[in-house]
Structure formats: C-alpha cells, structure tokens
Amino acid sequence: MIKVKNLHKQFGDLKVLNGINEHIEAGEVVVVIGPSGSGKSTFLRCLNLLEDVTEGEIYVDDEMINAPSVNVNLIRQKMGMVFQHFNLFPHLSIMDNITLAPVLLKKMTKEEAVKKGQELLTTVGLLDKADAYPAQLSGGQKQRVAIARALAMNPEIMLFDEPTSALDPEMVGEVLDVMKDLAKSGMTMVIVTHEMGFAREVASRVLFMDQGQILESGTPDEVFNHPKNERTQSFLSKVL
Ligand code: ADP
Ligand code: MG
C-alpha cells in the first residue's frame, strides 16, 4: 500500500532522513520507535506530504505521490493523521469538528456527515459529547475525538504521531484502546509511540529508527526480545 524508496529529507544543511526504504502492506500495523530527533515525525510528515521530500519516491496504491502533477489534497484524503496535540478547532462543537472536512471537501452532505459522525463518536465512546466544545473535554476525550475526526474522511491509512505523549497517564489507556479496536478492524496504521507495551501487543511490525535511517524491522518479538542492531539494543535498554 505504501512504498518508500531512498527517501531523503534535509532542512537546510541538516540531514534528517538518510535513505529510507520501506514497504507497508494493507492491514499492517507498523509501530515506529527510536530516540528523540531520529526523524520519526519527519518520516510521517513526508508520507502525508506535510513536508517536501528532498530526494526519493513515495508510492501510495502504486501512485507516486511526491510528483509535481499530483493533487496533494486527494492524496491527503487517503491518510488520516493524529498528532500529539489534538489540534481540534476550539470554536466548533465536537460534531462540527468531525463533519467540517467531509462537508467542506464535498465528500458527504451535511446529513451524511452527521450520521457518520454519530457512528464514529459511538465507536470512540463519546456520542454524548457531540454538542460539547473541545475545552469541555479531557485530554483523552479530545484525542478520541481527533481520531474520530480523522476517520470521518474514510481514510485508507491512519498515521499517528505520539498520540498519547501529551496525556495524563490515566488517560493513555482509553486512547490506546480505541487504536487497538481500529487495528483489529483491519486499518493500515503507522504509529510513532513510546508505548512499548502497546507496540508488543498490537504491532504487526516494529521499525527502529535512528539518525534518519531504519536500522531494524521485525515482529515485536524479534525487535524487543532479539534486537540485532547494537543501537536498537542500547535504545531498548533505556526504555524497557
Ligand atoms: P523525532 O520525531 O524522531 O523526534 P523529528 O522528525 O521531529 O524527530 O526531527 C528530526 C530532526 O529534524 C531534529 O533534529 C529536528 O530538530 C529537525 N527538524 C524537524 N523539523 C524541522 C524543521 N521544520 N526545520 C528544521 N529542522 C527540523
Ligand atoms: Mg516526533
């Protein structure tokens, strides 16, 4: 579903991604781990075309998405993204947060979008908050809404960048539970997280990134219990 070939990204003289090659199949749940500053967020942002690619090719469904002729908005509609800070629109109700994009981009009528919004809010356990505003919700609830909002566009792929890092500890579980359900439903997911227990349980594959490269890729058992690379071993010894 996603093919990345020799991806490089530089910010000025700073080389942040140094030749990433990766294939992600439909239905895979890929968890990306690695030290701070290793390029994990930049990798996700390149997949979603939130960053210009310096060199290399990214294919989604066999279409090269970092070509000049590509309709960036259509590509982004295939991918939902959830960030550390939920980025909900503070002046819109929860339902309006969820229905805004599908209606604005003419994917659905308002009526269809509200119906879909009700289904999604039910899935994340927040139907009773449809008319509330973001400021009235806890961090965990806001992040569950952010996931529902991303799903409202019917994406093929969901990208998560440290979705629980800004949450109080008691709220991490409720967000991870929503992500687990989504994984079980067969969604293709790429997740940057420091939640190693979640990675062990849910990932079909774990990628270890360091200094802009993927140094190790394998099942949770392979990467966590039998890491081959010295830098993976050293990273895991600090976080496990
Ligand atoms: P991670 O998510 O693994 O912590 P990032 O992808 O955020 O790493 O960052 C990798 C490196 O790229 C860091 O050195 C960071 O400072 C740098 N970087 C990220 N975004 C920008 C930017 N927009 N401009 C300049 N440098 C950036
Ligand atoms: Mg990051």
Side-chain angles (χ1 to χ4, degrees):
M1 178 166 261
I2 306 177
K3 283 195 202 99
V4 178
K5 288 189 186 168
N6 194 32
L7 175 63
H8 289 256
K9 173 66 185 173
Q10 270 178 250
F11 292 105
D13 290 339
L14 182 68
K15 292 185 173 175
V16 174
L17 300 180
N18 297 306
I20 295 201
N21 292 288
E22 187 55 44
H23 286 199
I24 295 170
E25 308 289 339
E28 268 199 292
V29 177
V30 175
V31 170
V32 183
I33 61 171
S36 175
S38 58
K40 304 180 299 295
S41 294
T42 304
F43 177 48
L44 281 195
R45 293 171 59 82
C46 284
L47 291 182
N48 205 10
L49 299 177
L50 291 172
E51 300 286 356
D52 289 329
V53 167
T54 306
E55 191 191 324
E57 293 157 24
I58 302 173
Y59 297 85
V60 174
D61 298 332
D62 290 322
E63 180 186 11
M64 183 172 150
I65 64 166
N66 61 316
S69 58
V70 144
N71 181 332
V72 173
N73 288 322
L74 279 182
I75 300 296
R76 285 209 192 114
Q77 285 179 30
K78 292 187 180 195
M79 291 184 247
M81 180 124 178
V82 175
F83 302 89
Q84 183 174 351
H85 299 283
F86 335 108
N87 303 350
L88 297 178
F89 302 110
H91 58 292
L92 295 181
S93 72
I94 297 311
M95 183 58 83
D96 287 345
N97 262 280
I98 292 174
T99 58
L100 182 71
V103 173
L104 209 62
L105 297 169
K106 302 201 192 317
K107 274 205 113 181
M108 297 174 202
T109 64
K110 177 83 188 186
E111 214 177 17
E112 288 166 342
V114 168
K115 188 161 173 283
K116 175 95 184 168
Q118 285 168 340
E119 285 167 19
L120 289 168
L121 281 175
T122 304
T123 310
V124 301
L126 290 171
L127 185 59
D128 58 328
K129 300 293 183 190
D131 297 322
Y133 283 79
Q136 298 169 292
L137 269 54
S138 72
Q141 291 172 331
K142 279 189 256 197
Q143 193 60 299
R144 285 189 277 153
V145 171
I147 294 171
R149 181 177 61 172
L151 290 170
M153 293 292 286
N154 288 325
E156 294 174 22
I157 301 159
M158 285 284 285
L159 309 175
F160 294 85
D161 193 358
E162 299 198 26
T164 59
S165 294
L167 299 177
D168 291 333
E170 73 269 25
M171 293 170 188
V172 169
E174 66 193 64
V175 172
L176 294 180
D177 284 344
V178 166
M179 293 168 65
K180 275 180 211 170
D181 288 343
L182 194 56
K184 275 187 215 141
S185 79
M187 177 65 78
T188 308
M189 299 164 77
V190 185
I191 305 163
V192 175
T193 185
H194 298 292
E195 294 292 333
M196 300 298 162
F198 172 84
R200 265 183 204 275
E201 191 184 338
V202 179
S204 46
R205 208 144 53 82
V206 177
L207 304 180
F208 173 70
M209 264 185 87
D210 195 18
Q211 298 177 6
Q213 290 181 314
I214 294 173
L215 294 186
E216 193 146 350
S217 161
T219 64
D221 178 55
E222 286 167 344
V223 174
F224 289 121
N225 300 339
H226 313 283
K228 294 191 193 85
N229 191 289
E230 219 173 87
R231 277 190 265 165
T232 318
Q233 290 165 8
S234 151
F235 174 76
L236 290 174
S237 72
K238 288 175 203 144
V239 298
L240 288 182

